[in-house]
Amino acid sequence: MSASPTTSAAPAASGPRPRLWRWLPERVDGRVRVLAWLSFLAEVAIIGTGGAVRLSGSGLGCSEWPMCTPESLVPTPEQGYHGIIEFGNRTMTGVVGLIALLVVLTTLHAVGGRRPVVRALWFAGGGIVAAVAAYLITAPLGLPAFGFFSGALLVAVVAATADSLRLPLQRRDLPLLAWIVLAGVMAQAVVGGLAVLSDLNPFVVGFHYTASLVLVCVTAAFLVRMREPVGPRERAVPAWFAILSHVTGLALALTIFFGVLTTGNGPHSGDANVIRTGFDASLLAHVHSWPGYILAVLVLALTVAAWVLRLRPRVWLLVLILAIAVQVGVGVWQARTGLPEVLVGIHMVLAALSAAAYTVVVLKLKRPVSDRPSPV
């Protein structure tokens, strides 16, 4: 007697299904995907809000940290729009941190189930207790109590990272990337406070921006690795192409480095009363452009070679060359029009997006061994 439709369909329903996120349980893969994209977009957005703080002269809109004024956590009417802009950026830090925490928890659940999530929450509880104790001990001594509070939380995150990565997880790369973002956001809150307490020291402010840019790259790396199966990887491009790609990364790093120095010594110090004295901003602007033009030539060469040879990173190289072309255009435009605030802000965000696109290109230089083309 032939099997009923229900009986014959059962084996097919219980068998493996080809899914893009094969390593994730179906219940949570959508949450991880959505949260990962939100984390990336939030990291880009906070560069925009941080740029708005600096370019509007609101860097000291909140004169204290973590309070906005000695008496108030939120801005007062006397601080005007400067206080609102600065406090808005601080609030955005909390949003970014919350999203980063959710990415950590959902990723841990996806690759390890309930146990690593529970252990991470225990570390979180212990960190909060330690942070409160550090605050209560240091505040009466006149020490920077909130700094000790934040430091205790950061130590708890580092300890939780080490603990979760030693558990038997299906894969460790995604939890590690998620933990790095969470720890980075917490450290960035402290660095932002140091920027205010140091009266917008250009090196502290520059480091603050650079760290945010790195976090954009880490969230981009999470998005790429999320779409690829676990397992060994192999080089998917010729050796010379990989070497040239890494040389291009050096040119990109130098371009960003000199761009940060240039902005740090330009007219946009973050507050009208903060006058920069140090490097010659006009000279730095020229120095900044040299590796920028070299970068554009290298990326163009890589893009042409990738499409001629039909290499794996070719689509993302098109994205990168487009971002850099727009970036060069904006850079020249702002230099010739007296550095208008809007163009400087666009330039800052585009630098982060260019770095994120380059991160994807580098990750595409290798492929999972399971994706190796079958011999004809």
Side-chain angles (χ1 to χ4, degrees):
M1 188 171 79
S2 61
S4 66
T6 303
T7 304
S8 61
S14 60
R17 292 183 298 167
R19 296 171 58 237
L20 187 59
W21 288 270
R22 296 189 290 275
W23 60 278
L24 285 172
E26 188 172 0
R27 295 194 309 270
V28 298
D29 64 351
R31 298 176 197 171
V32 175
R33 186 168 67 245
V34 170
L35 288 170
W37 272 106
L38 286 176
S39 183
F40 171 77
L41 294 174
E43 292 292 351
V44 175
I46 202 168
I47 287 182
T49 60
V53 169
R54 181 170 190 166
L55 298 171
S56 65
S58 304
L60 297 178
C62 287
S63 59
E64 304 296 323
W65 181 86
M67 305 288 283
C68 193
T69 70
E71 298 81 21
S72 174
L73 176 65
V74 299
T76 61
E78 292 75 18
Q79 293 170 290
Y81 72 90
H82 291 303
I84 295 173
I85 293 174
E86 166 63 11
F87 186 76
N89 185 58
R90 294 186 183 188
T91 303
M92 185 64 189
T93 300
V95 174
V96 173
L98 177 60
I99 295 173
L101 175 61
L102 292 175
V103 172
V104 167
L105 296 178
T106 53
T107 301
L108 287 176
H109 184 269
V111 302
R114 183 171 177 269
R115 183 187 177 197
V117 176
V118 172
R119 292 181 68 89
L121 291 175
W122 273 109
F123 273 96
I128 292 173
V129 171
V132 171
Y135 185 92
L136 294 176
I137 293 172
T138 55
L141 301 176
L143 299 173
F146 197 80
F148 283 95
F149 179 93
S150 302
L153 288 178
L154 186 57
V155 170
V157 169
V158 174
T161 303
D163 177 74
S164 67
L165 295 179
R166 70 179 183 83
L167 297 175
L169 305 176
Q170 294 181 33
R171 60 190 297 177
R172 289 177 170 79
D173 56 340
L174 294 174
L176 177 59
L177 292 171
W179 279 116
I180 289 173
V181 174
L182 178 59
V185 172
M186 296 178 64
Q188 277 288 76
V190 178
V191 175
L194 290 176
V196 173
L197 297 177
S198 65
D199 291 331
L200 305 181
N201 180 286
F203 296 104
V204 177
V205 174
F207 178 80
H208 196 39
Y209 168 78
T210 305
S212 293
L213 183 145
V214 170
L215 290 178
V216 170
C217 294
V218 176
T219 54
F222 187 101
L223 291 171
V224 174
R225 296 292 288 152
M226 180 180 66
R227 298 176 64 95
E228 296 184 344
V230 64
R233 296 164 60 81
E234 63 182 3
R235 196 176 72 233
V237 299
W240 65 265
F241 189 92
I243 294 172
L244 189 60
S245 298
H246 292 300
V247 172
T248 302
L250 176 61
L252 175 62
L254 288 174
T255 303
I256 293 172
F257 173 76
F258 285 113
V260 171
L261 281 182
T262 302
T263 304
N265 290 272
H268 303 298
S269 63
D271 188 88
N273 296 321
V274 176
I275 307 299
R276 297 288 183 228
T277 57
F279 298 108
D280 185 338
S282 299
L283 175 61
L284 279 174
H286 290 288
V287 175
H288 167 53
S289 68
W290 299 336
Y293 292 131
I294 294 173
L295 171 65
V297 172
L298 288 172
V299 174
L300 178 61
L302 286 172
T303 304
V304 172
W307 279 91
V308 169
L309 300 175
R310 300 191 62 78
L311 300 178
R312 193 168 184 253
R314 61 186 182 275
V315 173
W316 280 99
L317 278 166
L318 275 181
V319 175
L320 180 58
I321 192 66
L322 177 62
I324 290 176
V326 175
Q327 184 75 319
V328 169
V330 171
V332 173
W333 187 7
Q334 69 174 8
R336 293 183 176 180
T337 54
L339 301 177
E341 289 82 357
V342 172
L343 291 182
V344 176
I346 292 173
H347 203 54
M348 292 170 62
V349 174
L350 279 176
L353 293 176
S354 299
Y358 174 76
T359 300
V360 178
V361 168
V362 170
L363 292 174
K364 294 291 184 181
L365 297 177
K366 290 186 175 183
R367 64 178 169 225
V369 172
S370 59
D371 290 349
R372 181 189 302 168
S374 303
V376 179

